Amino acid sequence: MKPTFLDFEQPIAELENKIEELRFVQDDSVLDISEEISRLQKKSQELTKTLYSKLTPSQIAIVARHPQRPYTLDYVDGLFTDFQEMRGDRSFADDPAIVGGLARFNGQPVMVIGHQKGRDTKEKIARNFGMPRPEGYRKALRLMRTAEKFGLPVMTFVDTPGAYPGIGAEERGQSEAIGRNLYEMARLKVPVIVTVIGEGGSGGALAIAVGDYVNMLQYSTYSVISPEGCASILWKTAERAGDAAEALGITAPRLKSLGLIDRVVNEPLGGAHRDHAAMMTALKRVLQEQLKEAGSRGLDELLKTRFDRLMSYGRFKEDAA
Amino acid sequence: MSWLNKLLPPKIKRDPRTSKASAVPEGLWSKCPACEAVLYHTDLQANLQVCPKCDHHHSLNARERLDMLLDAEGRREIGAEVKPIDILKFKDSKKYPDRLVAAAESTGEDDALVVMQGSIHNMPAVVAAFEFRFIGGSMGSVVGERFVRGVQAAVEARAPFICVAASGGARMQEGLNSLMQMAKTSAALQLLSDYQLPFISILTDPTMGGVSASFAFLGDVVIGEPGALIGFAGPRVIEQTVRETLPEGFQRSEFLIEKGALDMIVDRRELKLRVATLVALLMKEAQPVSA
């Protein structure tokens, strides 16, 4: 797969093009230019390193939406075996913007649930760009209940611009579906491990993101409102999205320092989309560790810790009464 | 400024502060935005801010709401000691602390939720009311914490918890912390369930976004006020997304009850007694007598 370069990656793109050209010439060249190629490759890597070491929040927001970034089903392929997709909310429809089902993680049966975006135009539309409708959240809850009944840990993968703002979604109770999940997940009697893999878009993300461990990939984002939405409300123009991204504090390291997530999972050089396999290996190590720890903690302690953490969210000052 | 004002030469322009019209006390008369009837302020107040001509429900601020629901005696405010801070050093066109100060000055409140313990027709209860005029009734850390303290007080007193929502959603200026208030407030309701205590959720105009998509629809009974706008996404956002004109009355209480989202729509003038009646039924107590 030929990589797609983002705007701010143009210097890398130029180098990579040059390397590609040289490779092409090399085949019928009498001169040995392989040394030149490897020199350029090294340069390209270093350039990537420098660029990625100082990404701004709005650039990270773009990487989080990279069209070649691994999506939930890529993680299902890479991290799980025996995946059995389970569809439908049993009352209205199946929402392809959320996928889920039974699978094995290192041989252990678990329930996997995640937002799913599409790769090509057709799939993007079918999956509604990863924006779930109420039936998506209700399917997720149904699968969580099944997991609870059989004592299977739940692993969720978060990647959505947000819950879908549509007429049908409102008519069928988008608000209720999200709120219900928040309520039920707070006390779900199995371990829940959450990983934000791309975009953590507001309530639509949170509705499958209440758990015992909350991880974020290095270049994923998690936000109360999209930078564009925030800018258009507070600055009256979506063009100030960069400022909004900065102000909202949407990046993994920032949220870790605010104590709102547990762990930042480092991505391969240049982002997860550059090397899916390396990303899988890195995330697998973390999930393995957390699953083991959750298993050793005992359900009562797990639930108490989860609930106490939910109650601890928020910062305020308290005046002496 | 209207076009007429712009046309007038400066000398004729009225300064509202010096104009003779201000000799009439402000707010003596007001116009109903729904039926345009001119209403005498005292009449409107006596009618709980419901238009006597067309039954349009005007907005109430948080303390008016509490006054209307709670008995006059034996009230105690909960969570007033919890005050907002600027976690992110958030600044858009205005700094967040400046917004907080401005909102406090115009409303007399220090955040968007007021919680009180007291009684409704002599039955103990904890009631939380949103102050919409405070940054759009947005839910940040203080709203979340006061809500939870209200729930805890209800549990201690083995009393029902009643929340009157009026909010545009999450408080953007607190970033992800405000999103987490959705999880926090929804989870807290588990405590009420543990003791079989009712949660009555009253949705008023407007109840949107993060407030709508958290505790609002988790009530054992969910009540809408007539004509209230209630929904996840705002009508403008939906219109831009689907590029269609929205159906008549979309996201209003009357629309929601048709779709099965609400248990009932209750006229504000009957609300107190209806809430008391519901609580008494759920808690297996005698029907309260209206005071």
Side-chain angles (χ1 to χ4, degrees), chain A residues 165 170-171 175 178-179 183 186-187 202-203 206 224 234-235 247-248 307 310-311 313-319, chain B residues 81 83 92 141 145 149 170 172 175 177-179 181 184 186-187 190 193-194 212-214 231-233 251 259:
Chain A
E170 294 287 328
E171 287 176 342
S175 290
I178 294 171
Y183 176 79
R187 285 269 183 91
S202 193
L206 185 64
V224 63
L234 292 181
W235 280 269
L248 284 166
F307 198 80
L310 285 167
M311 291 306 115
Y313 282 136
R315 303 271 189 91
F316 47 83
K317 61 181 179 195
E318 208 160 337
D319 288 358
Chain B
E81 64 282 6
K83 314 270 189 209
D92 48 88
S141 301
E145 181 66 17
R149 290 187 186 192
M172 285 177 284
N177 262 300
S178 67
L179 186 75
Q181 302 311 308
K184 175 171 174 169
S186 303
Q190 293 273 5
S193 302
D194 290 345
S212 168
S214 53
F232 174 66
Q251 294 182 315
K259 299 294 170 194

Side-chain angles (χ1 to χ4, degrees), chain B residues 67-143:
Chain B
D67 274 342
M68 172 211 131
L69 283 172
L70 285 167
D71 299 338
E73 300 300 309
R75 294 184 196 175
R76 178 175 77 93
E77 187 163 346
I78 293 168
E81 64 282 6
V82 179
K83 314 270 189 209
I85 54 170
D86 180 18
I87 317 155
L88 298 174
K89 306 263 171 283
F90 195 98
K91 183 173 180 287
D92 48 88
S93 54
K94 229 176 179 183
K95 284 183 185 162
Y96 181 40
D98 295 344
R99 274 189 199 276
L100 289 171
V101 169
E105 275 170 11
S106 68
T107 61
E109 300 298 339
D110 49 22
D111 213 304
L113 190 75
V114 183
V115 186
M116 264 190 209
Q117 185 161 9
S119 61
I120 302 178
H121 289 312
N122 298 315
M123 281 191 304
V126 176
V127 182
F130 274 76
E131 178 54 71
F132 185 73
R133 298 173 307 148
F134 196 100
I135 318 186
S138 54
M139 177 161 69
S141 301
V142 171
V143 169

Side-chain angles (χ1 to χ4, degrees), chain B:
Chain B
M1 193 182 284
S2 80
W3 62 271
L4 182 67
N5 280 334
K6 282 181 200 156
L7 285 177
L8 290 172
K11 274 186 186 170
I12 308 180
K13 269 189 191 168
R14 279 191 186 174
D15 183 343
R17 282 163 301 181
T18 56
S19 110
K20 282 181 187 161
S22 67
V24 179
E26 209 181 306
L28 198 57
W29 297 91
S30 63
K31 200 182 206 179
C32 173
C35 71
E36 304 205 324
V38 177
L39 305 168
Y40 191 46
H41 190 68
T42 331
D43 287 350
L44 197 56
Q45 213 160 20
N47 210 29
L48 301 173
Q49 303 287 339
V50 178
C51 172
K53 300 267 190 311
C54 75
D55 292 343
H56 176 74
H57 285 51
H58 295 242
S59 57
L60 284 182
N61 66 42
R63 291 194 194 263
E64 287 172 329
R65 180 64 73 174
L66 292 166
D67 274 342
M68 172 211 131
L69 283 172
L70 285 167
D71 299 338
E73 300 300 309
R75 294 184 196 175
R76 178 175 77 93
E77 187 163 346
I78 293 168
E81 64 282 6
V82 179
K83 314 270 189 209
I85 54 170
D86 180 18
I87 317 155
L88 298 174
K89 306 263 171 283
F90 195 98
K91 183 173 180 287
D92 48 88
S93 54
K94 229 176 179 183
K95 284 183 185 162
Y96 181 40
D98 295 344
R99 274 189 199 276
L100 289 171
V101 169
E105 275 170 11
S106 68
T107 61
E109 300 298 339
D110 49 22
D111 213 304
L113 190 75
V114 183
V115 186
M116 264 190 209
Q117 185 161 9
S119 61
I120 302 178
H121 289 312
N122 298 315
M123 281 191 304
V126 176
V127 182
F130 274 76
E131 178 54 71
F132 185 73
R133 298 173 307 148
F134 196 100
I135 318 186
S138 54
M139 177 161 69
S141 301
V142 171
V143 169
E145 181 66 17
R146 287 183 183 169
F147 186 96
V148 169
R149 290 187 186 192
V151 167
Q152 287 164 341
V155 169
E156 272 166 40
R158 300 289 185 269
F161 183 71
I162 292 131
C163 180
V164 187
S167 170
R171 172 116 16 118
M172 285 177 284
Q173 290 86 349
E174 292 186 19
L176 201 70
N177 262 300
S178 67
L179 186 75
M180 294 310 171
Q181 302 311 308
M182 293 171 64
K184 175 171 174 169
T185 51
S186 303
L189 299 174
Q190 293 273 5
L191 300 173
L192 293 171
S193 302
D194 290 345
Y195 294 91
Q196 276 193 355
L197 296 169
F199 170 42
I200 311 284
S201 182
I202 301 163
L203 312 183
T204 72
D205 191 49
T207 301
M208 305 300 291
V211 166
S212 168
S214 53
F215 60 83
F217 283 100
L218 296 173
D220 298 300
V221 182
V222 183
I223 300 172
E225 269 205 336
L229 186 75
I230 303 162
F232 174 66
R236 211 157 34 99
V237 174
I238 299 174
E239 225 154 20
Q240 282 163 3
T241 310
V242 300
R243 298 183 191 287
E244 278 176 57
T245 320
L246 302 174
E248 180 72 23
F250 184 64
Q251 294 182 315
R252 296 285 167 187
S253 291
E254 296 72 17
F255 177 90
L256 264 78
I257 201 158
E258 290 264 311
K259 299 294 170 194
L262 302 176
D263 286 288
M264 54 189 82
I265 299 175
V266 177
D267 187 299
R268 189 181 291 158
R269 291 160 290 189
E270 296 164 14
L271 192 57
K272 182 174 178 176
L273 188 58
R274 288 289 285 276
V275 169
T277 304
L278 287 164
V279 167
L281 287 165
L282 287 166
M283 297 186 77
K284 302 182 195 109
E285 282 170 21
Q287 170 64 14
V289 184
S290 158

Side-chain angles (χ1 to χ4, degrees), chain A residues 145-189:
Chain A
R145 285 260 168 264
T146 306
E148 186 178 52
K149 178 173 171 185
F150 293 94
L152 308 179
V154 174
M155 289 182 173
T156 73
F157 296 89
V158 175
D159 190 13
T160 181
Y164 187 57
I167 295 175
E170 294 287 328
E171 287 176 342
R172 298 191 296 278
Q174 187 73 289
S175 290
E176 191 274 345
I178 294 171
R180 182 68 52 194
N181 282 15
L182 302 180
Y183 176 79
E184 297 290 347
M185 289 184 88
R187 285 269 183 91
L188 199 76
K189 294 185 189 67

